[in-house]
Amino acid sequence: MFCVLRKVCWRRPSSRRGVCTRHPAPAPRVRFAPSPTGFLHLGGLRTALYNYLFSRQHGGAFLLRLEDTDRSRLVPGAADDIEDMLEWAGIPPDESRRRGGDYGPYVQSERLQLYSQAASTLLQTGHAYYCFCSNQRLDLLKRDAQRSGQVPRYDNRCREVPPEQVQQKLAQGIPCVIRFKLDSGAEVFQDLIFGWTRHDPAAAEGDPVILKADGFPTYHLASVVDDHHMNISHVLRGSEWLISTSKHLQLFRALRWTPPAYAHLPLLLNRDGTKLSKRQGDIFVQRFREQGVLPETLLDIVTHAGSGFRDNRIGRRLDELVCEFNISKITTHSALLDLDKLDEFNRVHLQHRIEDEEQCAVLLDELRQQVLHTHGSRISDRSVLETHYMQRVLQLRKGHICSLRELLDHTHTYLWIRPKVTRQQLQEVSTEVDDITAAVMQLVASSGSFLSTEHLNSELKLIASRLKNTKYSGAMRVLRLALSAQQGPSVAEMMVSLGEQEVCVRLQKALEH
């Protein structure tokens, strides 16, 4: 039986350094330990982020450890993708396979000797035993349990094999695994999120395998051994592991090691309450990156979906997440992820980037490359690739676009390619085409520059008021057709985006065509 006895809160440190004012504590060491059996998805990103926030808030270290002991399910390229995506998201580990560190190797398949030594220690102290049960027998146990409506479990048969028989079977080379002897009785521990928690693993399952026949450990042994040898102080992981923690604590006790503090994060679910799955291709971080979603957008939306902060608001950047994160604010309720709001989040963070001089420079380079890739030789004038032009476009479109990609769609083609419009097309809209274009070009000649869209709107209304047979809407249709030949932003914004010289060039070309 599994239950939560009561909710207890983690006391937030009162000093700015994140330590207790009475008894200074060592800097925490936390780890994100995914299995490279798939690429990084939003659930994993959220777990990594909370570990990162906790380590940064308390001046600690954030480790990336790859748990690759399930050799049959490894996905080529997944290990590199996980670290690549953490770096792209702005939450790189302090220690990892790529970055190195004092507690390596950071890949479990390179630490097999440590697991073998721990298993030997458990055998010597009587906390573990060899199991020679064949796969056929284990399958039979499983089928019998299912037939009787019970949960399949190992019957601990090999616990009672006499030592002399064990040695005889080992000498004969009979395949075997090593199992850990579970203690009966509820293991009570305090989780930093779920509070005092109790679970009796021996009542629900048989003795677990800790070392497989191929010499590779199972998750239970490997995680305990690595957390000890890597000096992990806090384990922040998904709540699906909460029920296994009692088992891990028994392993720590059997090995006479001090366990870390545990904080189990509530699951990140889809908006409809279903579980996120790696089989959903659209939840992989790389997919969002390819779609033009900003890294800070993903960090913001996965924290906004759950808890851990005093309030929920859109637009928090990483430094704000670090400052405002509070583990005592994490609730036990599952976090519901609403990806329908992704565009709204990305719009806010794109605006932040445009308003930041350094980040805007990076955006300009990205936009320039995307425009060249998309439109290439069709670009009318290379001046549209100059910094001052593209910067003006970004400033005018911020708050309206959700990603740079939108500036490459049909609605914004006019920014990069001159339309092919004839005088006849313009005259079909208004017979006063010459008066309209002449007035606009006179406005450019007299003012020299478009001060703002608001000021230009006023001037355009004044021009339209002087026309004899054309209303304001008709005059705007003439200008829109000549400047872009398509729907899009207001005519005034189009003119400001294009600039005075380009506006005159397009009007003149339309009249001459």
Side-chain angles (χ1 to χ4, degrees), residues 24 48 53 204 222 237 368 372 456 460 478 480 505:
L53 297 178
R237 61 186 179 185
R368 186 177 294 109
L372 284 170
L456 187 54
L460 292 175
V478 168
R480 179 179 294 279
V505 168

Side-chain angles (χ1 to χ4, degrees), residues 29 94-95 99-106 229-230:
R29 290 175 58 80
D94 300 303
E95 303 171 27
R99 293 174 177 259
D102 296 334
Y103 295 84
Y106 293 90
H229 285 288
M230 290 181 170

Side-chain angles (χ1 to χ4, degrees), residues 299-343:
L299 301 185
D300 192 13
I301 199 168
V302 296
T303 52
H304 187 272
S307 51
F309 301 88
R310 183 174 56 256
D311 54 37
N312 260 3
R313 56 185 175 83
I314 296 177
R316 267 193 286 247
R317 286 167 281 197
L318 183 56
D319 58 339
E320 295 173 307
L321 292 174
V322 171
C323 290
E324 297 178 24
F325 177 67
N326 186 341
I327 199 170
S328 72
K329 297 292 184 181
I330 299 178
T331 67
T332 59
H333 304 296
S334 296
L336 299 182
L337 181 65
D338 188 0
L339 290 179
D340 288 342
K341 295 182 178 180
L342 191 62
D343 284 347

Side-chain angles (χ1 to χ4, degrees), residues 15 22 85 143 234 244 276 342 363 384 398 484:
S15 67
R22 291 186 178 180
M85 291 302 99
R143 286 198 299 269
H234 297 75
S244 297
L276 291 179
L342 191 62
L363 288 178
V384 300
K398 71 180 181 183
S484 69

Side-chain angles (χ1 to χ4, degrees), residues 343-409:
D343 284 347
E344 181 182 357
F345 278 79
N346 214 49
R347 182 185 300 112
V348 171
H349 285 286
L350 182 58
Q351 182 170 339
H352 287 166
R353 284 201 174 195
I354 293 173
E355 293 171 350
D356 182 277
E357 183 176 352
E358 185 176 341
Q359 291 184 322
C360 186
V362 177
L363 288 178
L364 291 172
D365 288 338
E366 292 179 8
L367 179 58
R368 186 177 294 109
Q369 293 173 12
Q370 292 181 23
V371 170
L372 284 170
H373 177 75
T374 303
H375 298 298
S377 60
R378 295 187 300 152
I379 296 175
S380 306
D381 189 330
R382 305 293 287 189
S383 64
V384 300
L385 300 175
E386 295 178 0
T387 297
H388 68 88
Y389 179 87
M390 303 185 91
Q391 192 167 32
R392 185 167 66 235
V393 169
L394 287 179
Q395 290 295 335
L396 287 168
R397 289 278 79 201
K398 71 180 181 183
H400 299 282
I401 58 174
C402 300
S403 71
L404 292 183
R405 288 187 171 195
E406 290 185 38
L407 295 177
L408 307 174
D409 62 19

Side-chain angles (χ1 to χ4, degrees), residues 155-191:
D155 59 1
N156 300 347
R157 176 182 180 180
C158 287
R159 263 198 188 200
E160 309 304 327
V161 177
E164 59 273 15
Q165 288 188 23
V166 170
Q167 294 305 316
Q168 183 180 8
K169 290 176 182 292
L170 291 174
Q172 293 173 351
I174 298 177
C176 64
V177 299
I178 297 178
R179 291 182 180 270
F180 176 66
K181 291 182 180 179
L182 289 175
D183 293 333
S184 59
E187 187 78 24
V188 181
F189 67 95
Q190 187 178 19
D191 187 84

Side-chain angles (χ1 to χ4, degrees), residues 189-251:
F189 67 95
Q190 187 178 19
D191 187 84
L192 299 180
I193 295 173
F194 282 80
W196 285 107
T197 305
R198 180 174 61 190
H199 178 60
D200 183 2
E205 59 184 290
D207 292 335
V209 174
I210 57 173
L211 200 68
K212 294 177 285 188
D214 60 4
F216 278 81
T218 60
Y219 172 79
H220 304 298
L221 179 64
S223 65
V224 166
V225 170
D226 287 342
D227 286 344
H228 169 73
H229 285 288
M230 290 181 170
N231 201 24
I232 299 301
S233 63
H234 297 75
V235 172
L236 281 69
R237 61 186 179 185
S239 60
E240 66 268 25
W241 294 110
L242 182 61
I243 200 170
S244 297
T245 305
S246 295
K247 196 183 310 179
H248 299 166
L249 291 173
Q250 288 193 25
L251 278 165

